[in-house]
Amino acid sequence: MCNASAWVDDHEDAPSKGQQYDETAEEVEEVEDTAATASDDDEVYEVTDRSEDGAEIVRGKERPELAHHLQNDSSILALVVGDRYIYAGTQDGEIVVWSLASFELVLRIQAHTRAVLCLFLSADGQLLFSSAGDAIVNAWCPVNLKRIYHIYSTYDVGDVFSVAYSQQFQTVYLGAQNTSIQWCSLKDSAARPRPNPESHPDRRNHRFFDSVQHGGTSTPRPLPSRTSVTDGEVLEIDKAHMKHYAHFGYVYCMLLVRGVTRLVESDEDVLISGGGDGTIKIWKLAHGNQDITEVACLGEDDAESVLSMAVDGSFLYSSKLEGVVELWDLDTKQKLRVIKAHRGDVMTLQMGWGFLWSAGSTGFARKYSTVQYGKYQNSSQFNQQYHCVNRWKAHEGRILASAVTTYNGQQLYITGANDNSVSIWNITDRRLETRGRPEIADSQLMKSLQEFVSFKTISSRPDHAEDCRRGATFLRTLFKKHGAQTEMLNTSDGRNPVVYAKFRGNSETSSKRKKILFYGHYDVVPADNKQDKWIVDPFDMKGVNGYLYGRGVSDNKGPIMAALYGVVDLVLAQELESDITFLIEGEEESGSRGFKEAVRQHKDLVGEIDYIILANSYWLDDEVPCLTYGLRGMLHATVEVDSNHPDVHSGVDGSFMMDEPLFDLTSVLAKLKGLHNRIQIPGFYDNILPLTAAESARYDDITEVLIRRNPELGPPETLKASLMARWREPNLTIHRYKVSGPDGSLVSSHASAAISLRLVPNQEVEEVIRSLTTFLSEAFATLDTHNHMSIAIDNQADAWLGDPDNEIFQTLEEAIMDVWGPIGESRRSSVPGPKPKQQLPKMLTPTASPSLKPTPATTKTLTNGSDHTSLASTPLDTSLLDDPALSPITNGSSSPQKRRGRKPLYIREGGSIPSIRFLEKEFGAPAAHLPCGQASDSAHLDNERLRVSNLYKSREIFRKVFKELPRK
């Protein structure tokens, strides 16, 4: 007997190939590959011909949209999908669960000691069955994956390839490697005799591993480490509940259907099995201890394995080796067609939305038109031909499993393969995607963001000026499409324009409500990928493991889209009671050049503003939502030192009498900082605001939460000091040096350095500029040098400090608590990703800092090392999940009741946003900052990302705030 994992990967033990077509039967028609001239390496192709009625048929026009990609540690052998989750069985014996709403990892358990070969979800969604190569069938709660039943046979059945459950008969059926079908009733199972532990498959000798060697001795195997078998009820299958030789080959697949044949009453469940002998059998089921009865056998005993089956009405599709799909009429028991669907083995079939979906060993998936029934039938396009209407490369490996579902109005085709991945394909007909839906689906938000990210709006590079304009035009068009009044506000010197958009509130309420301004930016930093560090094209957003990857997806295009669609939700629900204005600039990453002038020039157009909201930062870690009430200011300057001499050789002309610009520059800059990086400019720290008791309490709250989650961040006083140093203390940094002349032993005639100062509230920028200039000039004068120094101010921004107790912060706080539910009660929301193929040795690092200063807490330490390889993970709250109406994962405008947890963390940040304090002053309105992303989003770095659930929940938060805040 073979191991099933070897069969699914290599087919080494599969029956011999060589499908024989019954060309003499009139009802059989072979349909050749519709892309006969195309190889299986072609991902997109187009073939045009005419059907029997003369209608033109265009096939394979485009690859479906890849909604998301999930990476695992091992091959995906089985898939099933429920109302809210995707379940996958793996080569490692695990069951992995992902959320359909956000594609986050929900749960992963070691379900079996060997490969999981089949998953089956009961019709009522209350039981999830798994079968495996360990000869075990387990039944699980689909919500928390707690084992309910543990079922095994006293026979040596080998691998259990297939499992099905009849809710009508309360019986589970399993198809095994020993060619049998066995069954076990779950009704009154507690009254059964107690199972004999010695009959358990783990206790029995294995024919191969425990075979006796020469001399009659054997080496005992250690018992496998299984999750406690005492979990759930242990059921031993009655010896009489077996159909020996149900097939003359392995029972590879089974279906549980109803009303598909006249041979069984239409209201009774029917079992259909496919075997390695090439036959398909229909079984009549019965209650209790009664035997199953074979009522029909389709096909010939030709050893051509039936690998998968799908039912459409009374039609049955079965897949075989070498790309063959057979079509059977279950009423007449006739084979109607033989379709040459693939060039490789067809491993999995699905019926969905009137189409047949097939996938196989070459990694390609295909969509076939069928004779459609019911609501999918269109008489104007009805014909008896089976056409491949789409074909695409879905995986790099062999596709072994698939599933179909409709979720939130989206039609999803899900595939799993031995490339250790699951792909979710959005195959929704665009004409039907939003039909009959008053709200805008999350898929529309996702598509808008994907297109927005595709524009290379890099403001720092002149060669991307046109891309910036195109990105601004796209954004303006999107605002206008959803009903906003829009304008392009031009800036001075031909800088990127500001996109202005105003959504008018209901006329009867807007004059009574306060007005909100949302500020953001559509420009991004460069995303050079010369070293191939990005896992995706930076400007082609992709979803991977619960995250969206792409430049700008977190900073700041994702939050802009969330805010836009939050307003759109209110507009469609006729709940927008106040004016919401958007000002989205295109130069934020380049110092907001021209933004102030553009706003002042069009201040009358913007009108009165009562509140300002921005969303241009991240949480403190990857777990706890935050609100930001403070930002440091910023001052960028360039210090230059020039000589009257040209570049000279240090050996030929260099001497102590020659003043070297680079040395003078270094001497001056070295005076800026003293011991422990204390800035030496006189009076520099005088105006810093003292720490209040309320602010100190906020820091204590932050450290308590962070250390509770990650004790390694302690002790608390050290972490608190580190955060305060980043947020409420100024700092000075030297960024880079430049010298004239080529590399070599030269005395450069010119040297310059870029420096920046991060300022805190109550440090006025203009005053700091004067103090810095004076200090450097006086320090330079003491050098008694022939060189000349100049100081240029490149960019500046005021620090900002909001009021956490005002209406805008309190409204945001309420919205966060409503949308995110209990805060501070979940496990990690970012978990390690798939294991790399090769683990590199860790570099040795000193255990303690050589300085007396504590090591500062950085974003990397606060996120516990989360990076682009981590998976998004949603907390499993079983008290919520037991009631579908209270699911912790929600989309769109739904607002289910949730248990309320603690408040979000109130934080300050060390970074700077040049425009926020300017907008407060210009409009006389307070501002608040809603961080949308996680600390590990890698903004400005390689593999920038945004968690899918953060995007969706930010949309909900904006909807609530845009509705409630104007009433304050």
Side-chain angles (χ1 to χ4, degrees):
M1 294 290 181
C2 77
N3 185 297
S5 62
W7 174 80
V8 294
D9 282 341
D10 301 316
H11 279 197
E12 291 178 349
D13 297 287
S16 61
K17 302 182 180 181
Q19 174 73 31
Q20 300 295 320
Y21 301 107
D22 185 5
E23 297 179 350
T24 61
E26 292 182 357
E27 69 272 13
V28 177
E29 176 183 350
E30 179 181 346
V31 180
E32 291 293 345
D33 193 331
T34 57
T37 60
S39 71
D40 269 338
D41 294 329
D42 298 331
E43 294 194 14
V44 179
Y45 73 103
E46 183 173 342
V47 177
T48 303
D49 60 9
R50 295 186 179 276
S51 64
E52 292 178 340
D53 58 4
E56 187 179 71
I57 302 169
V58 180
R59 312 178 195 129
K61 196 169 185 180
E62 60 182 8
R63 170 177 166 159
E65 172 197 348
L66 179 60
H68 212 83
H69 182 82
L70 303 170
Q71 195 67 33
N72 190 52
D73 293 330
S74 61
S75 297
I76 305 297
L77 308 186
L79 283 173
V80 71
V81 61
D83 292 338
R84 290 173 289 166
Y85 301 117
I86 301 169
Y87 304 88
T90 77
Q91 180 81 26
D92 288 343
E94 294 180 323
I95 296 178
V96 187
V97 186
W98 290 282
S99 164
L100 272 171
S102 63
F103 307 114
E104 294 186 32
L105 178 66
V106 175
L107 199 57
R108 179 195 300 270
I109 66 164
Q110 188 67 46
H112 293 267
T113 58
R114 296 186 186 172
V116 177
L117 303 177
C118 184
L119 294 174
F120 185 94
L121 188 64
S122 64
D124 60 1
Q126 297 301 306
L127 289 173
L128 174 69
F129 294 88
S130 62
S131 67
D134 57 6
I136 300 296
V137 171
N138 286 320
W140 312 87
C141 168
V143 173
N144 55 25
L145 288 192
K146 297 294 185 182
R147 183 160 44 199
I148 301 173
Y149 298 105
H150 180 82
I151 306 168
Y152 64 88
S153 172
T154 57
Y155 286 91
D156 184 9
V157 298
D159 301 338
V160 181
F161 287 114
S162 53
V163 62
Y165 174 71
S166 169
Q167 189 172 328
Q168 180 182 22
F169 296 101
Q170 298 182 46
T171 300
V172 57
Y173 303 88
L174 59 93
Q177 188 177 11
N178 73 338
T179 75
S180 70
I181 294 178
Q182 302 187 49
W183 59 94
C184 180
S185 174
L186 302 185
K187 187 177 182 180
D188 299 328
S189 58
R192 296 173 176 272
R194 188 176 183 85
N196 179 6
E198 296 302 318
S199 299
H200 194 279
D202 286 350
R203 298 295 184 96
R204 299 197 297 260
N205 283 348
H206 193 282
R207 292 185 180 182
F208 175 79
F209 294 106
D210 298 314
S211 58
V212 178
Q213 62 180 323
H214 182 70
T217 61
S218 64
T219 302
R221 289 184 298 128
L223 290 177
S225 58
R226 177 188 298 281
T227 55
S228 176
V229 177
T230 59
D231 293 345
E233 187 175 351
V234 180
L235 302 180
E236 192 173 276
I237 299 177
D238 193 298
K239 291 181 180 294
H241 296 171
M242 172 184 283
K243 178 65 66 175
H244 291 280
Y245 304 109
H247 290 266
F248 291 101
Y250 305 161
V251 184
Y252 282 133
C253 52
M254 295 195 302
L255 292 176
L256 205 291
V257 294
R258 181 179 290 189
V260 298
T261 176
R262 293 175 296 178
L263 303 174
V264 180
E265 294 296 329
S266 61
D267 61 348
E268 289 188 7
D269 286 347
V270 174
L271 182 68
I272 304 176
S273 62
D277 57 358
T279 65
I280 299 166
K281 294 189 177 182
I282 303 175
W283 305 90
K284 180 177 174 60
L285 309 180
H287 286 283
N289 297 325
Q290 300 180 48
D291 200 356
I292 63 174
T293 305
E294 179 184 329
V295 297
C297 179
L298 312 179
E300 300 178 359
D301 185 5
D302 56 7
E304 288 296 331
S305 301
V306 177
L307 305 179
S308 180
M309 299 182 295
V311 167
D312 181 25
S314 64
F315 285 176
L316 173 72
Y317 298 89
S318 64
S319 70
K320 293 194 171 183
L321 305 179
E322 295 186 336
V324 171
V325 174
E326 294 179 340
L327 171 62
W328 297 87
D329 187 331
L330 295 178
D331 272 335
T332 65
K333 298 186 289 185
Q334 289 181 308
K335 184 192 295 184
L336 302 181
R337 262 170 223 269
V338 176
I339 306 169
K340 187 66 167 66
H342 290 251
R343 286 185 170 80
D345 302 334
V346 182
M347 306 299 297
T348 177
L349 295 175
Q350 294 291 338
M351 276 301 306
W353 313 287
F355 294 95
L356 175 68
W357 305 83
S358 63
S361 59
T362 62
F364 273 73
R366 300 198 181 202
K367 171 185 177 183
Y368 273 87
S369 64
T370 66
V371 177
Q372 299 177 358
Y373 288 95
K375 62 181 180 179
Y376 299 110
Q377 182 173 341
N378 186 332
S379 58
S380 64
Q381 298 180 358
F382 182 83
N383 65 78
Q384 295 293 327
Q385 295 294 326
Y386 282 73
H387 296 288
C388 179
V389 294
N390 207 348
R391 166 184 178 276
W392 72 98
K393 183 75 169 178
H395 288 268
E396 292 304 318
R398 178 176 297 175
I399 300 175
L400 303 172
S402 65
V404 293
T405 190
T406 299
Y407 185 80
N408 274 1
Q410 298 181 72
Q411 297 172 347
L412 302 177
Y413 176 53
I414 306 169
T415 54
N418 67 354
D419 60 2
N420 304 349
S421 72
V422 173
S423 292
I424 297 99
W425 305 94
N426 185 356
I427 55 176
T428 311
D429 187 331
R430 294 179 181 177
R431 297 169 298 177
L432 304 176
E433 193 165 26
T434 58
R435 184 179 298 175
R437 291 172 60 84
E439 71 275 10
I440 297 293
D442 284 327
S443 59
Q444 292 298 107
L445 164 61
M446 198 72 72
K447 289 177 182 177
S448 296
L449 178 57
Q450 185 174 34
E451 188 170 358
F452 197 16
V453 169
S454 70
F455 296 101
K456 299 179 180 180
T457 51
I458 304 172
S459 58
S460 62
R461 295 184 175 175
D463 56 327
H464 286 288
E466 184 176 347
D467 293 313
C468 292
R469 294 278 175 165
R470 290 173 58 239
T473 301
F474 162 80
L475 186 57
R476 179 190 179 184
T477 302
L478 188 62
F479 277 120
K480 190 173 182 179
K481 170 186 174 183
H482 290 297
Q485 171 195 346
T486 64
E487 295 285 347
M488 286 288 202
L489 310 185
N490 292 325
T491 56
S492 59
D493 300 326
R495 305 294 186 187
N496 297 327
V498 178
V499 179
Y500 160 88
K502 176 172 286 188
F503 289 90
R504 298 285 184 182
N506 298 332
S507 56
E508 61 271 19
T509 60
S510 60
S511 61
K512 306 173 185 178
R513 301 284 188 255
K514 294 183 178 180
K515 297 171 175 54
I516 298 175
L517 170 66
F518 179 88
Y519 163 81
H521 65 92
Y522 61 83
D523 64 318
V524 298
V525 298
D528 297 323
N529 194 26
K530 296 178 181 178
Q531 298 180 347
D532 292 328
K533 291 184 178 180
W534 282 81
I535 64 173
V536 302
D537 180 336
F539 296 99
D540 184 10
M541 187 187 83
K542 291 289 191 302
V544 181
N545 292 333
Y547 285 93
L548 304 172
Y549 286 83
R551 174 58 83 221
V553 69
S554 182
D555 183 12
N556 184 231
K557 294 181 177 181
I560 291 172
M561 290 293 103
L564 165 58
Y565 279 92
V567 175
V568 171
D569 289 340
L570 293 176
V571 171
L572 294 177
Q574 297 183 349
E575 296 178 350
L576 185 63
E577 298 181 351
S578 177
D579 296 348
I580 309 295
T581 301
F582 286 77
L583 285 179
I584 313 298
E585 68 160 310
E587 294 280 352
E588 195 273 346
E589 302 292 5
S590 299
S592 293
R593 299 172 298 192
F595 178 73
K596 294 181 180 180
E597 293 78 4
V599 171
R600 286 170 176 156
Q601 184 178 350
H602 298 90
K603 191 172 180 180
D604 291 340
L605 176 66
V606 177
E608 295 183 0
I609 297 297
D610 297 291
Y611 298 113
I612 300 168
I613 297 178
L614 67 156
N616 194 18
S617 63
Y618 327 96
W619 298 348
L620 189 55
D621 65 0
D622 275 3
E623 303 168 27
V624 185
C626 301
L627 283 170
T628 300
Y629 69 94
L631 295 167
R632 290 196 292 192
M634 167 267 295
L635 173 63
H636 281 280
T638 300
V639 183
E640 299 180 342
V641 177
D642 292 280
S643 170
N644 293 326
H645 301 284
D647 297 337
V648 297
H649 192 278
S650 61
V652 175
D653 294 310
S655 71
F656 77 92
M657 297 185 65
M658 177 169 289
D659 297 320
E660 300 178 2
L662 182 56
F663 196 92
D664 288 350
L665 177 64
T666 303
S667 299
V668 170
L669 296 183
K671 298 180 183 297
L672 284 170
K673 280 187 174 182
L675 183 64
H676 290 171
N677 297 311
R678 183 80 175 176
I679 297 172
Q680 300 300 297
I681 300 174
F684 185 76
Y685 296 94
D686 291 352
N687 294 329
I688 297 177
L689 297 173
L691 179 68
T692 65
E695 186 176 6
S696 179
R698 294 189 192 104
Y699 284 103
D700 293 335
D701 186 30
I702 294 168
T703 56
E704 177 188 354
V705 171
L706 294 181
I707 292 176
R708 185 172 67 245
R709 292 175 174 276
N710 187 4
E712 295 178 359
L713 295 174
E717 58 273 11
T718 301
L719 178 59
K720 181 177 180 180
S722 177
L723 295 176
M724 292 174 62
R726 286 169 50 182
W727 296 348
R728 66 179 327 275
E729 295 291 336
N731 191 39
L732 186 148
T733 301
I734 299 175
H735 295 286
R736 57 190 173 273
Y737 283 94
K738 288 185 179 180
V739 296
S740 59
D743 293 339
S745 301
L746 296 178
V747 176
S748 300
S749 62
H750 168 86
S752 64
I755 66 172
S756 73
L757 290 90
R758 297 291 174 169
L759 310 177
V760 295
N762 218 40
Q763 283 187 309
E764 295 298 327
V765 177
E766 295 300 332
E767 183 177 334
V768 173
I769 291 175
R770 289 193 294 270
S771 300
L772 173 67
T773 303
T774 300
F775 181 85
L776 290 176
S777 299
E778 292 176 351
F780 188 76
T782 63
L783 299 178
D784 190 23
T785 176
H786 292 94
N787 296 327
H788 313 284
M789 185 185 72
S790 61
I791 304 169
I793 304 302
D794 304 317
N795 197 12
Q796 64 188 71
D798 289 320
W800 168 69
L801 187 65
D803 178 8
D805 296 320
N806 67 14
E807 298 91 342
I808 186 168
F809 276 102
Q810 296 307 305
T811 305
L812 283 165
E813 177 184 296
E814 287 292 320
I816 289 173
M817 295 175 69
D818 284 344
V819 171
W820 280 103
I823 297 173
E825 300 179 7
S826 68
R827 57 186 172 87
R828 286 192 57 80
S829 54
S830 283
V831 297
K835 297 184 289 289
K837 294 182 179 179
Q838 182 179 2
Q839 295 283 357
L840 297 178
K842 294 183 178 180
M843 299 296 293
L844 296 177
T845 56
T847 57
S849 170
S851 169
L852 297 178
K853 298 179 298 179
T855 302
T858 65
T859 300
K860 196 73 171 178
T861 59
L862 293 178
T863 60
N864 202 25
S866 294
D867 57 21
H868 73 272
T869 64
S870 61
L871 310 175
S873 177
T874 188
L876 181 67
D877 188 340
T878 56
S879 67
L880 297 178
L881 289 172
D882 288 336
D883 183 353
L886 302 180
S887 169
I889 302 171
T890 58
N891 289 298
S893 60
S894 59
S895 301
Q897 289 184 333
K898 301 185 181 76
R899 292 186 294 109
R900 291 173 62 83
R902 53 154 291 124
K903 296 180 180 181
L905 295 178
Y906 278 83
I907 66 173
R908 291 169 65 168
E909 294 185 29
S912 308
I913 299 178
S915 300
I916 189 61
R917 183 62 185 140
F918 159 75
L919 289 173
E920 277 193 329
K921 292 178 179 179
E922 198 67 24
F923 292 100
H929 196 170
L930 172 68
C932 292
Q934 298 172 290
S936 63
D937 278 355
S938 298
H940 290 206
L941 304 175
D942 298 325
N943 295 301
E944 180 179 349
R945 68 183 191 176
L946 178 67
R947 191 166 60 154
V948 173
S949 61
N950 279 57
L951 177 67
Y952 291 163
K953 290 185 182 295
S954 295
R955 172 182 181 172
E956 290 187 63
I957 292 171
F958 281 123
R959 172 178 175 148
K960 289 178 177 292
V961 171
F962 289 151
K963 180 179 180 180
E964 297 297 331
L965 183 58
R967 300 175 179 178
K968 302 294 184 179

